[in-house]
Amino acid sequence: MPNPWTGKGNPYTRQEVRERLKKTIADNKAIIAAGAGTGISAKFIEKGGADLIIIYNSGRFRMSGHGSTAGLMAYGDANAVAMEIGEFEVLPVVEEVPVICGVHGSDPRRRIWHHLLKVKDMGFSGINNFPTHCIVDGNFRQILEETGMSFDKEVEMVRIADKMDLFSIVYVAKPEEAIKMAEAGADAIIAHVGTTVGGSVGVTGASCTMEEAIDKTREIMDACQSINPDLFFLAHGGPINTPEDVRQVLEATDVHGFVGASSLERMGVEQSLLDLTRSFKKLTLKK
């Protein structure tokens, strides 16, 4: 259903987003969700045919030349940044594709139900749990869990979103996290297998192999498929970077598609600007 005020585009209802994704699958097409940190990225991601556009605070860092992991650090207010990118850059230029807002659900300074109302009122068509603590491990993860900033806060956010009838597409890194999210009412599960490899600020030694990524993705799917057979499953991160990488995962698992942030937005800008600038620099003056 179009926006009642403008007659087009966002916001969509939860069911409308789900129906759009179901149609993509029915057409035998992979669902492609893309992160956007700027308006121009969103504009051309939409023109390229993406099914969803997701706004993360990490997109601002990514498009400023820094690693996406900066979005997990105390370099700014993650929730405020995502809302700002949405209000002033992305929502004004996206014409038809549903736009999803990244929400830091464990932010102790916010009444998350109140923030979700603002997200919905802004015109977003759903939420995503980023920054997410599911990709933090070790002693620091244990400290977060014990001091009131746990992954369960992200699960509770999805439970509230479910009551508000907001579409939710969520990151998980383990099968047990996927189970919690499925039980909370998530619509789509993203198997996060690590920070994206490649490009100028991608990881090298901190990632898994493609075989490990496929195994992790399959384990996450298998864990929660029985809870809700209508879940959408998407792959993300690690060595899953290029269209060919995604093709391998689609052939080896039953995932419905792929979420690309660095692999779409950052990689596309890096290589195209590099090639275009080199082409200009090959020009010579008339003798």
Side-chain angles (χ1 to χ4, degrees):
M1 183 179 73
N3 182 304
W5 306 111
T6 67
K8 63 179 183 179
N10 293 277
Y12 292 95
T13 67
R14 180 185 193 178
Q15 189 57 35
E16 285 167 348
V17 176
R18 291 187 57 84
E19 290 302 322
R20 289 171 65 96
L21 298 184
K22 285 180 182 178
K23 185 179 185 307
T24 298
I25 295 171
D27 291 340
N28 201 33
K29 300 288 186 181
I31 295 169
I32 302 299
T38 67
I40 195 165
S41 297
K43 179 182 286 190
F44 286 93
I45 285 169
E46 178 174 38
K47 288 182 182 296
D51 298 285
L52 298 173
I53 294 174
I54 309 178
I55 308 303
Y56 310 103
N57 73 316
S58 62
R60 176 158 290 174
F61 292 106
R62 180 166 55 242
M63 300 310 287
S64 295
H66 311 298
S68 298
T69 306
L72 293 170
M73 305 300 289
Y75 301 147
D77 184 334
N79 284 317
V81 169
M83 291 288 276
E84 184 180 275
I85 294 172
E87 181 175 13
F88 298 115
E89 297 192 49
V90 173
L91 287 168
V93 300
V94 172
E95 295 182 353
E96 199 265 341
V97 174
V99 179
I100 309 300
C101 185
V103 179
H104 195 185
S106 59
D107 185 342
R109 304 163 303 168
R110 280 184 164 80
R111 297 165 295 163
I112 205 63
W113 63 267
H114 186 245
H115 184 66
L116 293 186
L117 287 174
K118 292 181 180 179
V119 168
K120 195 169 186 177
D121 186 59
M122 180 70 70
F124 287 101
S125 296
I127 62 160
N128 166 256
N129 63 326
F130 192 91
T132 175
H133 293 177
C134 79
I135 55 176
V136 179
D137 57 16
N139 188 54
F140 185 49
R141 171 67 179 270
Q142 187 64 28
I143 292 170
L144 290 171
E145 294 292 327
E146 293 179 4
T147 55
M149 292 165 280
S150 66
F151 178 76
D152 283 346
K153 290 290 183 71
E154 299 174 34
V155 176
E156 180 60 23
M157 173 184 72
V158 170
R159 189 170 284 111
I160 294 169
D162 180 54
K163 292 178 180 178
M164 291 183 178
D165 203 34
L166 264 172
F167 178 86
S168 59
I169 175 170
V170 297
Y171 286 118
V172 301
K174 299 176 182 177
E176 53 266 36
E177 294 167 348
I179 291 170
K180 287 182 177 181
M181 284 297 194
E183 291 176 341
D187 294 286
I189 302 286
I190 309 165
H192 197 308
V193 299
T195 303
T196 302
V197 172
S200 63
V201 288
V203 300
T204 52
S207 183
C208 58
T209 65
M210 179 60 80
E211 290 73 19
E212 290 169 335
I214 288 171
D215 287 343
K216 288 180 181 179
T217 301
R218 192 181 291 118
E219 287 172 7
I220 287 169
M221 285 190 63
D222 291 346
C224 59
Q225 209 157 16
S226 62
I227 297 171
N228 179 4
D230 293 326
L231 280 168
F232 300 100
F233 290 99
L234 298 103
H236 173 81
I240 310 170
N241 187 358
T242 67
E244 182 53 41
D245 297 333
V246 177
R247 186 175 291 110
Q248 286 186 52
V249 178
L250 292 172
E251 291 174 353
T253 71
D254 293 324
V255 295
H256 300 116
F258 171 69
V259 176
S262 294
S263 53
L264 264 160
E265 186 177 38
R266 176 171 61 81
M267 302 296 189
V269 170
E270 285 180 359
Q271 195 59 49
S272 62
L273 285 180
L274 180 67
D275 293 343
L276 185 59
T277 305
R278 283 176 174 170
S279 295
F280 274 111
K281 282 302 295 176
K282 288 178 182 179
L283 298 173
T284 59
L285 302 177
K286 183 175 67 174
K287 293 182 180 178

